[in-house]
Amino acid sequence: MEVLKIATAGSVDDGKSTLIGRLLYDTHSLTDDKIEAIRDSSRKKGYDYLDFSLATDGLVAEREQGITIDVAHIYFSTAERSYIIADTPGHVEYTRNMVTGASTSQVAIILIDARKGVIEQTYRHFFINNLLRIKDVIVAVNKMDLVGYDQTVFEDIKQNFERLNANSTYAEQNVSYIPISALKGDNVVAKSNEMPWYQGETILQHLEGIESIDVNEEGEVRFSVQTVIRPKTDEFHDFRGFAGKIKGGNLKVGDQVTVLPSMTTSKIESIYFYDKRYKEAEAGSSVTITLEDEINIARGDMLVKSNELPRVEKDLTATVCWMDSKQLRPGTRYVVQHNTNRVLSKIAEVGSVIATDFSGKKASDGTLGLNEIGEVKIKLSKPIFSDSYIANKSNGSFVLIDEHSNTTAGVGFIN
Amino acid sequence: METLVKEIDTTEQKDVKVFRANALESEAIYIFREVVAQFEKPVLLFSGGKDSITLVRLAQKAFWPAKIPFPLMHIDTGHNFPETIEFRDGLVTELGVELIVRHVQDSIDQGKVIEETGKYASRNTLQTTTLLDAIEEFKFDACIGGARRDEEKARAKERIFSVRDDFGQWDEKNQRPELFDMLNGKIEIGQNVRVFPISNWTELDVWNYIEQEQIEIPSIYFAHKRNTFLRDGLIWSAEDGVVFRAQDEEVRERTVRFRTVGDMSCTAAVESTANTIEKVVAEIRESKISERGARIDDKRSEAAMEKRKQQGYF
């Protein structure tokens, strides 16, 4: 069964957890004991309805404060396929979590409270989905029950959002608008009886219609070697297999390939998955490849088709989202992890900070703080084999690892 | 999950067909390979349950034709289903991998932990100490486990590479972001990483995979007759004398199977006649009770799992 990954973002109290709970409940993904636990907790809190947010808020601090702090992963399935929701909080201080959730998702659901309309946080959610080039965006106008299921409220919000969409840097993005009440279940899974003026799909209907394409399936073929398999047994004495995940396109036996950084060429001799050999393997497959010629290849090296070479870059210009409390400063050193390759780097310049409300760039004070997004120039000690993020998401992104704390301090999207 | 491939000619080793990835399987294999590339001393934590058996199959696939390049380790609570131990030993022999066993009983004898008493006594929490000691003893820097995010809501927030400090503690508010499929396993000496290759699988995904791959699993997962008693609406094994049973809790023979295979003292059975994988999968698809619904260790409080994880539990 195929998997569709969704990111949800919303502000405090706009009913994101309730929407997810409703999706789970109406697709019969919540088991009796979980529903019972929700009923219990709801009763304890004095609610006369089922508080579905209790199904998803996983940490004690989250339940205490009634907010989502960290990215949670939630699973449900229909007869059509499986869904994974990356549920992320919407406050400004959690931009890093929104970016994280969006990085693996193909669809984003942006929630808007019908009573409040498009607010500053909506800008930020949409901006991030734009920056990360999320193909499908669903704008769910929630709490329609609280505005009397009024069509004009929905149309106004839609118009406001379309004005925002005019700033989009991603023309191919599909944006759709759905009026819902997560609490009452209108237009989430079942069609609403309260809004006869809305003829479109429900959220689930819309999701079911989206073709599932993994992030890894876009662009040209990139095969970043994870490890070299050398069994050294009698049967496989000379076996040298390059293990990795194929990204960007298919690889075939006989393909002429170039190995980076050595720029040596060879042909694909065999493609293994476990103990079977295949003529061809699709993007997204974790396979083991052998080559016709004996070439020295190590982890971090990359195999590409000889007529589809990537850029070989030692100076990166990238849009960076900063995720560490320690500011990003010029002159400091970080480890750049790009696919399976790690290279020492030095920050050359923090050019500008990009406002997440689409108001443009402003000059930075030379640093980038936690949850800020900016244009950064980075000098690498050794070249990486990259594409622009627009051309190839997985080969156009990297993370910055702090040498001292070892934490993942930021993510970059290569220009 | 989609069937991987059909009509493969295995006898002549010909290159037959286009390989179409099963996304979850490829993701898990990718994670296993990252572990071996990024860590010095990984270990696979093996409980004998279906999730860890699935991990072993995935590890085989990740490194074939080489052997699985790390040992398996079982933290033995001493309250295992005998069927599980028998199964474990058979599997290890077949694969030719090293098996390390460390016993909770030893931690009790050394006075490091105190056995719980009473009706709900369990060694489930105690195994954390034994696990942390074993990690230190062997200097393991990555422990691979079969936890899934769909199991429990604290687990829903777990990373694929989850860093633990010297005390094995999980700092849930300070987790490393995991972007795209880039995994950062850089750690200090003394720290270790818990790795969860099947994070994104659901219970049904695991069962479908077991069915599709025809993976052998211990017999207690299938319907069998067992002496049991009822408590709190759950069915407990009255055999082997592990679970405390009060005088008034009446023993009856029931046809049951287990959905998870944890410590016997905290794993309840479900009534079932599913005696084949196909029937088990069908039953799970229809089930109205969650897998961990029969795990009393999670019922201690709403935050039971989060608390245990902070202390170093899986």
Side-chain angles (χ1 to χ4, degrees), chain A residues 1 31-33 60 62 70 73 75 103 226 247 274 277 280 282 286-288 299 337 342 406 408, chain B residues 1-2 15 19-20 26 30 33-34 38 64 153 156-157 159 175-176 180-181 183-184 200 288 290 306:
Chain A
M1 199 184 274
T31 48
D32 285 352
D33 55 323
V60 174
E62 293 178 336
D70 199 68
H73 297 85
Y75 303 78
S103 77
Q226 289 186 272
K247 296 177 177 179
Y274 195 25
R277 290 171 60 153
E280 186 176 353
E282 290 189 344
S286 286
V287 296
T288 303
R299 173 174 169 87
Q337 180 170 341
R342 279 192 188 149
N406 291 323
T408 304
Chain B
M1 288 187 296
E2 189 179 345
D15 306 337
F19 176 66
R20 196 180 308 276
S26 265
Y30 169 83
R33 290 165 166 180
E34 283 303 290
Q38 293 197 34
W64 188 94
K153 50 192 178 180
K157 314 240 152 163
R159 300 296 189 264
Q175 300 194 76
R176 290 180 185 172
F180 301 95
D181 60 1
L183 296 169
N184 172 9
N200 284 327
K288 293 270 165 244
S290 77
E306 184 180 346

Tab-separated table of all heavy atoms in Angstrom, chain A residues 1 31-33 60 62 70 73 75 103 226 247 274 277 280 282 286-288 299 337 342 406 408, chain B residues 1-2 15 19-20 26 30 33-34 38 64 153 156-157 159 175-176 180-181 183-184 200 288 290 306:
chain	number	residue	atom	x	y	z
A	1	MET	N	0.842	-1.204	0.000
A	1	MET	CA	0.000	0.000	0.000
A	1	MET	C	0.873	1.248	0.000
A	1	MET	O	1.906	1.280	0.646
A	1	MET	CB	-0.894	-0.005	1.237
A	1	MET	CG	-2.088	0.905	1.123
A	1	MET	SD	-3.030	0.931	2.656
A	1	MET	CE	-4.098	-0.473	2.423
A	31	THR	N	-9.065	3.042	18.182
A	31	THR	CA	-9.610	1.819	18.762
A	31	THR	C	-10.452	2.159	19.992
A	31	THR	O	-10.345	3.252	20.553
A	31	THR	CB	-8.461	0.879	19.157
A	31	THR	OG1	-7.512	1.634	19.884
A	31	THR	CG2	-7.827	0.284	17.917
A	32	ASP	N	-11.275	1.211	20.407
A	32	ASP	CA	-12.190	1.438	21.533
A	32	ASP	C	-11.468	1.912	22.789
A	32	ASP	O	-11.935	2.806	23.477
A	32	ASP	CB	-12.961	0.151	21.854
A	32	ASP	CG	-14.042	-0.120	20.814
A	32	ASP	OD1	-14.263	0.771	19.961
A	32	ASP	OD2	-14.647	-1.211	20.850
A	33	ASP	N	-10.321	1.294	23.067
A	33	ASP	CA	-9.642	1.684	24.308
A	33	ASP	C	-9.101	3.103	24.222
A	33	ASP	O	-9.077	3.826	25.215
A	33	ASP	CB	-8.538	0.683	24.696
A	33	ASP	CG	-7.514	0.470	23.598
A	33	ASP	OD1	-7.906	0.453	22.419
A	33	ASP	OD2	-6.326	0.328	23.917
A	60	VAL	N	3.679	15.317	28.641
A	60	VAL	CA	2.993	15.858	29.815
A	60	VAL	C	2.829	17.376	29.693
A	60	VAL	O	1.745	17.915	29.903
A	60	VAL	CB	3.784	15.508	31.093
A	60	VAL	CG1	3.171	16.193	32.294
A	60	VAL	CG2	3.796	13.994	31.305
A	62	GLU	N	2.682	19.184	27.157
A	62	GLU	CA	1.716	19.543	26.128
A	62	GLU	C	0.291	19.436	26.648
A	62	GLU	O	-0.549	20.280	26.385
A	62	GLU	CB	1.890	18.636	24.906
A	62	GLU	CG	3.200	18.873	24.200
A	62	GLU	CD	3.402	17.950	23.013
A	62	GLU	OE1	2.794	16.869	22.978
A	62	GLU	OE2	4.163	18.326	22.133
A	70	ASP	N	6.160	19.499	20.212
A	70	ASP	CA	7.088	18.809	19.330
A	70	ASP	C	6.331	18.220	18.145
A	70	ASP	O	5.117	18.155	18.135
A	70	ASP	CB	7.783	17.695	20.121
A	70	ASP	CG	9.061	17.256	19.438
A	70	ASP	OD1	9.997	18.058	19.410
A	70	ASP	OD2	9.090	16.143	18.923
A	73	HIS	N	3.958	12.186	15.173
A	73	HIS	CA	3.615	11.450	13.973
A	73	HIS	C	2.378	10.616	14.233
A	73	HIS	O	2.325	9.879	15.203
A	73	HIS	CB	4.781	10.579	13.523
A	73	HIS	CG	5.985	11.381	13.154
A	73	HIS	ND1	6.901	11.792	14.086
A	73	HIS	CD2	6.375	11.891	11.969
A	73	HIS	CE1	7.827	12.510	13.471
A	73	HIS	NE2	7.537	12.592	12.192
A	75	TYR	N	-0.801	8.153	12.509
A	75	TYR	CA	-0.999	7.217	11.405
A	75	TYR	C	-2.465	6.873	11.260
A	75	TYR	O	-3.147	6.630	12.248
A	75	TYR	CB	-0.208	5.933	11.670
A	75	TYR	CG	1.254	6.227	11.876
A	75	TYR	CD1	1.715	6.722	13.093
A	75	TYR	CD2	2.147	6.084	10.844
A	75	TYR	CE1	3.037	7.053	13.270
A	75	TYR	CE2	3.474	6.406	11.002
A	75	TYR	CZ	3.923	6.900	12.217
A	75	TYR	OH	5.231	7.236	12.383
A	103	SER	N	9.487	18.949	5.807
A	103	SER	CA	10.581	18.413	4.982
A	103	SER	C	10.289	17.015	4.449
A	103	SER	O	10.838	16.616	3.432
A	103	SER	CB	11.908	18.423	5.754
A	103	SER	OG	11.962	17.373	6.689
A	226	GLN	N	26.012	4.793	1.041
A	226	GLN	CA	25.937	4.759	2.499
A	226	GLN	C	27.062	3.932	3.092
A	226	GLN	O	27.683	4.305	4.076
A	226	GLN	CB	24.606	4.122	2.932
A	226	GLN	CG	23.391	4.983	2.688
A	226	GLN	CD	22.155	4.322	3.274
A	226	GLN	OE1	21.495	3.518	2.620
A	226	GLN	NE2	21.852	4.628	4.516
A	247	LYS	N	17.770	7.953	-5.572
A	247	LYS	CA	16.913	9.137	-5.519
A	247	LYS	C	16.831	9.788	-6.893
A	247	LYS	O	17.798	9.767	-7.636
A	247	LYS	CB	17.466	10.132	-4.506
A	247	LYS	CG	17.447	9.591	-3.093
A	247	LYS	CD	18.060	10.575	-2.136
A	247	LYS	CE	17.970	10.038	-0.709
A	247	LYS	NZ	18.586	10.982	0.230
A	274	TYR	N	18.307	-7.417	-1.579
A	274	TYR	CA	18.463	-8.664	-0.829
A	274	TYR	C	19.162	-9.660	-1.756
A	274	TYR	O	20.153	-9.285	-2.393
A	274	TYR	CB	17.092	-9.134	-0.353
A	274	TYR	CG	17.112	-10.210	0.728
A	274	TYR	CD1	18.187	-10.371	1.583
A	274	TYR	CD2	16.011	-11.051	0.900
A	274	TYR	CE1	18.160	-11.344	2.580
A	274	TYR	CE2	15.981	-12.025	1.893
A	274	TYR	CZ	17.070	-12.176	2.722
A	274	TYR	OH	17.030	-13.131	3.690
A	277	ARG	N	18.427	-10.267	-8.069
A	277	ARG	CA	18.979	-9.260	-8.978
A	277	ARG	C	17.878	-8.706	-9.859
A	277	ARG	O	16.991	-9.434	-10.280
A	277	ARG	CB	20.054	-9.897	-9.852
A	277	ARG	CG	21.295	-10.262	-9.081
A	277	ARG	CD	22.233	-11.079	-9.926
A	277	ARG	NE	22.662	-10.352	-11.121
A	277	ARG	CZ	23.807	-10.584	-11.734
A	277	ARG	NH1	24.645	-11.477	-11.261
A	277	ARG	NH2	24.140	-9.918	-12.808
A	280	GLU	N	16.374	-3.282	-13.267
A	280	GLU	CA	16.150	-1.858	-13.069
A	280	GLU	C	15.557	-1.659	-11.679
A	280	GLU	O	14.833	-2.525	-11.188
A	280	GLU	CB	15.150	-1.381	-14.131
A	280	GLU	CG	14.920	0.097	-14.151
A	280	GLU	CD	13.983	0.520	-15.296
A	280	GLU	OE1	13.641	-0.333	-16.141
A	280	GLU	OE2	13.599	1.692	-15.317
A	282	GLU	N	13.633	1.408	-9.100
A	282	GLU	CA	12.999	2.728	-9.095
A	282	GLU	C	13.533	3.630	-7.993
A	282	GLU	O	14.073	3.154	-6.991
A	282	GLU	CB	11.491	2.560	-8.900
A	282	GLU	CG	10.805	1.949	-10.093
A	282	GLU	CD	9.290	1.997	-9.934
A	282	GLU	OE1	8.813	2.213	-8.810
A	282	GLU	OE2	8.614	1.820	-10.957
A	286	SER	N	16.065	1.124	-1.644
A	286	SER	CA	17.358	0.889	-0.983
A	286	SER	C	17.954	-0.373	-1.565
A	286	SER	O	17.504	-1.466	-1.263
A	286	SER	CB	17.148	0.704	0.522
A	286	SER	OG	16.870	1.928	1.131
A	287	VAL	N	18.952	-0.205	-2.423
A	287	VAL	CA	19.500	-1.353	-3.148
A	287	VAL	C	21.011	-1.450	-2.922
A	287	VAL	O	21.611	-0.629	-2.226
A	287	VAL	CB	19.228	-1.222	-4.667
A	287	VAL	CG1	17.739	-1.264	-4.943
A	287	VAL	CG2	19.845	0.053	-5.222
A	288	THR	N	21.613	-2.476	-3.526
A	288	THR	CA	23.064	-2.623	-3.529
A	288	THR	C	23.504	-2.765	-4.986
A	288	THR	O	22.951	-3.582	-5.712
A	288	THR	CB	23.480	-3.860	-2.704
A	288	THR	OG1	22.959	-3.707	-1.378
A	288	THR	CG2	24.991	-3.992	-2.634
A	299	ARG	N	31.922	5.660	1.496
A	299	ARG	CA	30.738	6.361	1.966
A	299	ARG	C	30.860	7.848	1.648
A	299	ARG	O	31.921	8.451	1.823
A	299	ARG	CB	30.575	6.184	3.467
A	299	ARG	CG	29.450	7.038	4.054
A	299	ARG	CD	29.208	6.727	5.513
A	299	ARG	NE	28.326	7.715	6.140
A	299	ARG	CZ	26.999	7.637	6.127
A	299	ARG	NH1	26.405	6.632	5.512
A	299	ARG	NH2	26.265	8.562	6.719
A	337	GLN	N	26.215	18.259	6.516
A	337	GLN	CA	25.829	16.910	6.094
A	337	GLN	C	24.909	17.031	4.885
A	337	GLN	O	23.835	17.621	4.949
A	337	GLN	CB	25.135	16.139	7.225
A	337	GLN	CG	24.746	14.725	6.776
A	337	GLN	CD	24.280	13.823	7.918
A	337	GLN	OE1	24.549	14.084	9.079
A	337	GLN	NE2	23.573	12.758	7.579
A	342	ARG	N	29.764	14.120	4.657
A	342	ARG	CA	29.974	15.153	5.673
A	342	ARG	C	31.239	15.920	5.361
A	342	ARG	O	32.289	15.325	5.124
A	342	ARG	CB	30.083	14.540	7.060
A	342	ARG	CG	28.731	14.236	7.656
A	342	ARG	CD	28.856	13.909	9.122
A	342	ARG	NE	27.568	13.439	9.612
A	342	ARG	CZ	27.414	12.560	10.581
A	342	ARG	NH1	28.471	12.067	11.185
A	342	ARG	NH2	26.217	12.192	10.958
A	406	ASN	N	27.182	18.742	18.771
A	406	ASN	CA	26.746	17.675	17.863
A	406	ASN	C	25.287	17.789	17.420
A	406	ASN	O	24.756	16.900	16.753
A	406	ASN	CB	26.950	16.277	18.470
A	406	ASN	CG	28.396	15.917	18.606
A	406	ASN	OD1	29.192	16.269	17.747
A	406	ASN	ND2	28.741	15.235	19.678
A	408	THR	N	21.865	19.071	15.468
A	408	THR	CA	21.522	19.543	14.136
A	408	THR	C	21.047	20.984	14.303
A	408	THR	O	19.982	21.238	14.839
A	408	THR	CB	20.410	18.669	13.526
A	408	THR	OG1	20.855	17.315	13.546
A	408	THR	CG2	20.082	19.093	12.107
B	1	MET	N	0.761	-2.879	2.873
B	1	MET	CA	1.935	-2.670	2.037
B	1	MET	C	1.822	-3.481	0.744
B	1	MET	O	1.261	-4.542	0.726
B	1	MET	CB	3.182	-3.100	2.796
B	1	MET	CG	3.532	-2.122	3.903
B	1	MET	SD	5.105	-2.505	4.655
B	1	MET	CE	4.728	-4.080	5.366
B	2	GLU	N	2.408	-2.932	-0.228
B	2	GLU	CA	2.358	-3.516	-1.564
B	2	GLU	C	3.267	-4.749	-1.637
B	2	GLU	O	4.299	-4.804	-1.013
B	2	GLU	CB	2.898	-2.443	-2.502
B	2	GLU	CG	2.772	-2.707	-3.945
B	2	GLU	CD	3.353	-1.510	-4.698
B	2	GLU	OE1	3.543	-0.452	-4.079
B	2	GLU	OE2	3.618	-1.677	-5.879
B	15	ASP	N	18.725	-11.153	-14.150
B	15	ASP	CA	18.133	-9.886	-13.749
B	15	ASP	C	16.751	-9.832	-14.371
B	15	ASP	O	16.620	-9.712	-15.579
B	15	ASP	CB	18.970	-8.725	-14.267
B	15	ASP	CG	20.415	-8.870	-13.821
B	15	ASP	OD1	20.650	-9.567	-12.818
B	15	ASP	OD2	21.279	-8.298	-14.485
B	19	PHE	N	12.647	-3.325	-10.010
B	19	PHE	CA	12.397	-3.384	-8.577
B	19	PHE	C	11.631	-2.148	-8.125
B	19	PHE	O	12.049	-1.020	-8.327
B	19	PHE	CB	13.698	-3.492	-7.787
B	19	PHE	CG	13.466	-3.455	-6.308
B	19	PHE	CD1	12.784	-4.493	-5.693
B	19	PHE	CD2	13.860	-2.370	-5.548
B	19	PHE	CE1	12.516	-4.464	-4.338
B	19	PHE	CE2	13.601	-2.328	-4.190
B	19	PHE	CZ	12.926	-3.377	-3.589
B	20	ARG	N	10.492	-2.398	-7.530
B	20	ARG	CA	9.649	-1.313	-7.050
B	20	ARG	C	9.740	-1.308	-5.532
B	20	ARG	O	9.434	-2.308	-4.890
B	20	ARG	CB	8.221	-1.577	-7.478
B	20	ARG	CG	7.290	-0.396	-7.408
B	20	ARG	CD	5.904	-0.822	-7.855
B	20	ARG	NE	5.940	-1.501	-9.159
B	20	ARG	CZ	5.947	-0.872	-10.331
B	20	ARG	NH1	5.898	0.431	-10.376
B	20	ARG	NH2	5.981	-1.552	-11.461
B	26	SER	N	12.196	0.110	2.396
B	26	SER	CA	13.397	0.804	1.945
B	26	SER	C	13.890	1.798	2.982
B	26	SER	O	15.091	1.963	3.182
B	26	SER	CB	13.132	1.528	0.627
B	26	SER	OG	13.518	0.715	-0.453
B	30	TYR	N	17.515	1.661	4.761
B	30	TYR	CA	18.343	2.877	4.738
B	30	TYR	C	18.833	3.209	6.161
B	30	TYR	O	20.003	3.534	6.374
B	30	TYR	CB	17.523	4.029	4.151
B	30	TYR	CG	18.147	5.387	4.296
B	30	TYR	CD1	19.108	5.827	3.396
B	30	TYR	CD2	17.791	6.234	5.351
B	30	TYR	CE1	19.698	7.072	3.531
B	30	TYR	CE2	18.364	7.484	5.491
B	30	TYR	CZ	19.316	7.903	4.585
B	30	TYR	OH	19.895	9.127	4.730
B	33	ARG	N	21.568	0.871	7.412
B	33	ARG	CA	22.865	1.154	6.792
B	33	ARG	C	23.497	2.416	7.378
B	33	ARG	O	24.720	2.497	7.521
B	33	ARG	CB	22.681	1.280	5.277
B	33	ARG	CG	22.354	-0.075	4.645
B	33	ARG	CD	21.819	0.076	3.245
B	33	ARG	NE	21.812	-1.209	2.535
B	33	ARG	CZ	21.393	-1.359	1.286
B	33	ARG	NH1	20.953	-0.320	0.599
B	33	ARG	NH2	21.407	-2.535	0.713
B	34	GLU	N	22.661	3.391	7.727
B	34	GLU	CA	23.206	4.583	8.380
B	34	GLU	C	23.811	4.232	9.729
B	34	GLU	O	24.828	4.786	10.138
B	34	GLU	CB	22.121	5.667	8.553
B	34	GLU	CG	21.790	6.435	7.289
B	34	GLU	CD	23.016	7.112	6.681
B	34	GLU	OE1	23.534	8.085	7.259
B	34	GLU	OE2	23.447	6.640	5.607
B	38	GLN	N	27.595	5.063	10.692
B	38	GLN	CA	27.832	6.177	11.613
B	38	GLN	C	28.297	5.766	13.016
B	38	GLN	O	28.748	6.598	13.778
B	38	GLN	CB	26.568	7.045	11.745
B	38	GLN	CG	26.198	7.777	10.461
B	38	GLN	CD	25.228	8.924	10.712
B	38	GLN	OE1	25.271	9.582	11.748
B	38	GLN	NE2	24.332	9.168	9.767
B	64	TRP	N	22.942	-8.081	3.035
B	64	TRP	CA	23.201	-9.250	2.202
B	64	TRP	C	24.136	-8.866	1.042
B	64	TRP	O	23.987	-7.791	0.486
B	64	TRP	CB	21.865	-9.783	1.655
B	64	TRP	CG	22.032	-11.079	0.945
B	64	TRP	CD1	21.884	-12.322	1.462
B	64	TRP	CD2	22.407	-11.259	-0.420
B	64	TRP	NE1	22.156	-13.259	0.504
B	64	TRP	CE2	22.488	-12.645	-0.651
B	64	TRP	CE3	22.715	-10.392	-1.480
B	64	TRP	CZ2	22.842	-13.178	-1.901
B	64	TRP	CZ3	23.074	-10.922	-2.711
B	64	TRP	CH2	23.128	-12.308	-2.907
B	153	LYS	N	1.437	7.530	22.595
B	153	LYS	CA	1.583	8.920	22.175
B	153	LYS	C	2.915	9.574	22.532
B	153	LYS	O	3.317	10.530	21.872
B	153	LYS	CB	0.401	9.769	22.620
B	153	LYS	CG	0.018	9.657	24.055
B	153	LYS	CD	-1.348	10.324	24.237
B	153	LYS	CE	-1.797	10.183	25.670
B	153	LYS	NZ	-3.073	10.787	25.910
B	156	ALA	N	5.085	8.718	19.696
B	156	ALA	CA	4.778	9.470	18.471
B	156	ALA	C	5.726	10.646	18.300
B	156	ALA	O	5.865	11.196	17.218
B	156	ALA	CB	3.337	9.949	18.500
B	157	LYS	N	6.410	11.042	19.383
B	157	LYS	CA	7.316	12.197	19.332
B	157	LYS	C	8.772	11.757	19.273
B	157	LYS	O	9.682	12.577	19.357
B	157	LYS	CB	7.106	13.067	20.574
B	157	LYS	CG	5.632	13.306	20.868
B	157	LYS	CD	5.250	14.746	20.842
B	157	LYS	CE	3.796	14.864	20.466
B	157	LYS	NZ	3.205	16.120	20.768
B	159	ARG	N	12.335	10.398	17.854
B	159	ARG	CA	13.096	10.499	16.625
B	159	ARG	C	13.515	9.111	16.142
B	159	ARG	O	13.436	8.141	16.882
B	159	ARG	CB	14.355	11.351	16.843
B	159	ARG	CG	14.073	12.759	17.285
B	159	ARG	CD	13.317	13.545	16.221
B	159	ARG	NE	13.240	14.954	16.583
B	159	ARG	CZ	12.211	15.516	17.198
B	159	ARG	NH1	11.140	14.808	17.488
B	159	ARG	NH2	12.220	16.796	17.505
B	175	GLN	N	15.097	17.497	21.464
B	175	GLN	CA	15.467	16.480	20.484
B	175	GLN	C	16.005	17.130	19.214
B	175	GLN	O	15.577	18.208	18.833
B	175	GLN	CB	14.255	15.636	20.142
B	175	GLN	CG	13.648	14.916	21.323
B	175	GLN	CD	12.673	13.846	20.854
B	175	GLN	OE1	13.068	12.796	20.395
B	175	GLN	NE2	11.395	14.125	20.954
B	176	ARG	N	16.914	16.425	18.567
B	176	ARG	CA	17.461	16.933	17.309
B	176	ARG	C	16.410	16.876	16.217
B	176	ARG	O	15.747	15.860	16.056
B	176	ARG	CB	18.632	16.057	16.867
B	176	ARG	CG	19.830	16.217	17.747
B	176	ARG	CD	20.951	15.324	17.264
B	176	ARG	NE	22.042	15.417	18.219
B	176	ARG	CZ	23.119	14.651	18.196
B	176	ARG	NH1	23.236	13.707	17.260
B	176	ARG	NH2	24.062	14.801	19.082
B	180	PHE	N	14.296	15.820	6.153
B	180	PHE	CA	14.357	14.911	5.004
B	180	PHE	C	14.749	13.532	5.542
B	180	PHE	O	14.188	13.107	6.540
B	180	PHE	CB	15.307	15.461	3.938
B	180	PHE	CG	14.868	16.823	3.450
B	180	PHE	CD1	15.393	17.986	4.001
B	180	PHE	CD2	13.890	16.931	2.475
B	180	PHE	CE1	14.959	19.235	3.574
B	180	PHE	CE2	13.460	18.186	2.053
B	180	PHE	CZ	13.994	19.330	2.594
B	181	ASP	N	15.709	12.855	4.896
B	181	ASP	CA	16.106	11.579	5.505
B	181	ASP	C	17.522	11.641	6.067
B	181	ASP	O	18.172	10.632	6.237
B	181	ASP	CB	15.942	10.425	4.500
B	181	ASP	CG	16.802	10.611	3.256
B	181	ASP	OD1	17.543	11.621	3.186
B	181	ASP	OD2	16.734	9.751	2.365
B	183	LEU	N	20.139	11.698	8.788
B	183	LEU	CA	20.203	11.269	10.176
B	183	LEU	C	21.539	11.685	10.772
B	183	LEU	O	22.590	11.424	10.198
B	183	LEU	CB	20.037	9.752	10.259
B	183	LEU	CG	18.672	9.237	9.786
B	183	LEU	CD1	18.689	7.718	9.651
B	183	LEU	CD2	17.580	9.682	10.740
B	184	ASN	N	21.473	12.359	11.911
B	184	ASN	CA	22.681	12.845	12.566
B	184	ASN	C	22.968	11.997	13.800
B	184	ASN	O	22.316	12.129	14.817
B	184	ASN	CB	22.483	14.325	12.935
B	184	ASN	CG	23.600	14.865	13.798
B	184	ASN	OD1	24.624	14.196	13.996
B	184	ASN	ND2	23.418	16.070	14.316
B	200	ASN	N	7.974	4.344	11.459
B	200	ASN	CA	6.802	4.756	10.684
B	200	ASN	C	5.879	3.607	10.297
B	200	ASN	O	4.951	3.790	9.530
B	200	ASN	CB	7.244	5.494	9.415
B	200	ASN	CG	7.687	6.906	9.732
B	200	ASN	OD1	7.154	7.540	10.640
B	200	ASN	ND2	8.678	7.397	9.011
B	288	LYS	N	-10.879	-3.675	17.503
B	288	LYS	CA	-11.352	-2.422	18.097
B	288	LYS	C	-10.496	-2.026	19.302
B	288	LYS	O	-10.747	-1.042	19.964
B	288	LYS	CB	-12.810	-2.587	18.545
B	288	LYS	CG	-13.769	-2.761	17.388
B	288	LYS	CD	-14.268	-1.398	16.922
B	288	LYS	CE	-14.927	-1.485	15.581
B	288	LYS	NZ	-14.223	-0.718	14.545
B	290	SER	N	-6.521	-1.404	20.819
B	290	SER	CA	-5.164	-1.175	20.345
B	290	SER	C	-4.232	-2.233	20.911
B	290	SER	O	-4.520	-2.884	21.905
B	290	SER	CB	-4.681	0.216	20.732
B	290	SER	OG	-4.328	0.225	22.090
B	306	GLU	N	6.101	8.019	28.761
B	306	GLU	CA	7.018	9.158	28.731
B	306	GLU	C	7.979	9.095	29.918
B	306	GLU	O	9.179	9.302	29.772
B	306	GLU	CB	6.221	10.469	28.754
B	306	GLU	CG	7.101	11.702	28.636
B	306	GLU	CD	6.300	13.005	28.654
B	306	GLU	OE1	5.064	12.936	28.493
B	306	GLU	OE2	6.915	14.061	28.858
